[in-house]
Structures are given as C-alpha cells and as structure tokens.
Amino acid sequence: MSLTLYGYWRSSASYRLRIALNLKGVAYDQKPVDLKEGEQRRPEHRDIHPQGFVPALADDQGVLIQSPAILEWIEETWPDPALLPSDPRERARVRAYAAVVGCDIHPIQNLSVLQHVKNEYGKDAEGVQAWARHWITRGLTALESMAQADDRGGPYLWGSTPTLADIYLVPQLYNARRFGVDMEAFPALAKADEAARAHPAFMAAAPEAQPDAPEDGH
C-alpha cells in the first residue's frame, strides 16, 4: 500500500499521524502544504481536502481526512502495536484523553482561529498568544488532573507503552511551549511528554525533523 501524507511540519494533526504511522512501522511519503502561504485554500488542495485543512492521507483507494478518523483507520488497518488498551473501559478512558486535546484544546488555538482573533478583534501578537495560552492552560489543567487520578505508573500517560493519549499529548505540549504556557503546572503531563519524545517514532515525527521545516524553526 502506497501512502501519501498531505501535511504541514508544525500542524498538530499532521504530527499525530506521523507519530502513529511511525509507531506502526508504516512507510509513507510526504507532500507538504504550506499553511503560511495559504496553499491549503487553493482549489487543488480543496480537491483533496474539502475543508482546506491538513492533514489528508491518500492511498490507492482514495483520500482520508480528519486526524481522529484517520488514526482509527490506522489502528484498525495495522493493529500491532496497539494504540488502545484491550479493555473497553480503558479504551474509552484513553479516547477521553485524546478528546480533551482534539475536541477542546486544539480547535480553538488552531491557525485559522488565531488569524480570525487577530483580524476580527484587532489583537496584536501578544493578544493572540494570550488567547491561545488561556485555552491551552484550561484544557491541560483538566488533563493533568486526569493523569494524576489515573496514575498508571508511566512512563507514558497510560502506562508502559505509548497510546493514542500520547499521540495527542505530545503535539499539544509542543504548541503549549510555543505559546509560552508554564509547564511547571503540569508535572504528570510533562513527564509523559519527555518519555514519549525520547521514543524513536516520536523523534522522527517531530516538527523540526520534517522536510518542510525551515532551518530557523519558525
């Protein structure tokens, strides 16, 4: 099966897919879409992704969009190593970790939202950063409480192996650091993030390791 990932080096959702594919040992090609240049809004990209977003994952049968759906497809297509626990209740709990990030934190600090905040409400760069910090901090506070209550023993969020929870956590904490969030308030999350980022699959998926990453990292 030939896979092509349409993404952007600093896109959280693209980052998730890179991690998952790397953990599964699945080879893929990358076709960068430059969000800063607006390539995602061009007709040729909207033919691939009707929303004008990234990521999209193309195979011999067509194109898949939306990272939660694609991650489920990856898990079902390549079940080993598993990204979800075998127990149904534990699977629901891990999916909840992912949903806190994917549904409640990431969407309202996404590039299109931040551009709208800047353009429609006259916010300067610091105002936009403050918006992002507020929502990221609020979501991570809940996630930290969950991690401390579950206390799976680490080194990852759900125990001894990476799961979907880590796949969502690591890109979000990358963004948290970008926006100046105080990570000392989230020791359990920071510990899991550090362990995950040391894993080869996460290292290869890191934004700075991507072919479209600028040399200065910005």
Side-chain angles (χ1 to χ4, degrees):
M1 181 187 297
S2 176
L3 294 178
T4 301
L5 175 62
Y6 293 81
Y8 179 63
W9 69 283
R10 208 160 60 180
S11 155
S12 294
S14 302
Y15 194 172
R16 294 170 201 155
L17 297 192
R18 295 193 300 261
I19 295 168
L21 290 167
N22 292 348
L23 284 169
K24 300 288 188 179
V26 177
Y28 58 97
D29 296 319
Q30 293 199 61
K31 184 167 180 57
V33 179
D34 193 333
L35 303 188
K36 280 194 172 181
E37 294 297 321
E39 290 183 358
Q40 72 276 21
R41 295 188 292 272
R42 295 176 183 173
E44 56 267 32
H45 183 68
R46 287 188 180 272
D47 287 343
I48 296 166
H49 196 310
Q51 292 178 283
F53 293 159
V54 294
L57 188 67
D59 67 3
D60 302 334
Q61 300 182 55
V63 180
L64 299 171
I65 65 169
Q66 287 291 342
S67 66
I70 300 172
L71 287 166
E72 293 286 348
W73 177 80
I74 291 170
E75 176 74 348
E76 292 167 2
T77 304
W78 296 280
D80 186 41
L83 302 179
L84 289 165
S86 58
D87 178 77
R89 190 174 186 85
E90 290 194 3
R91 284 203 301 273
R93 189 65 173 171
V94 169
R95 285 187 172 111
Y97 278 85
V100 170
V101 174
C103 298
D104 298 329
I105 305 176
H106 174 244
I108 47 181
Q109 47 101 100
N110 208 357
L111 177 62
S112 60
V113 173
L114 297 183
Q115 288 175 337
H116 183 79
V117 169
K118 176 183 177 181
N119 296 333
E120 292 298 318
Y121 301 105
K123 296 294 185 181
D124 60 12
E126 177 50 38
V128 171
Q129 293 260 335
W131 164 279
R133 279 196 301 273
H134 170 79
W135 294 110
I136 293 171
T137 300
R138 181 173 174 174
L140 292 184
T141 299
L143 209 61
E144 176 72 16
S145 296
M146 292 166 61
Q148 292 197 21
D150 285 326
D151 190 18
R152 302 291 297 187
Y156 305 104
L157 267 184
W158 202 255
S160 61
T161 59
T163 66
L164 197 66
D166 305 285
I167 287 172
Y168 275 80
L169 175 70
V170 169
Q172 186 55 64
L173 293 197
Y174 172 86
N175 274 340
R177 291 187 292 270
R178 280 180 58 215
F179 290 118
V181 173
D182 179 9
M183 293 307 301
E184 290 188 6
F186 312 112
L189 301 183
K191 183 177 179 181
D193 173 70
E194 182 179 11
R197 287 190 293 119
H199 190 293
F202 287 78
M203 292 174 65
E208 61 272 14
Q210 304 318 302
D212 55 326
E215 291 185 4
D216 62 3
H218 295 90

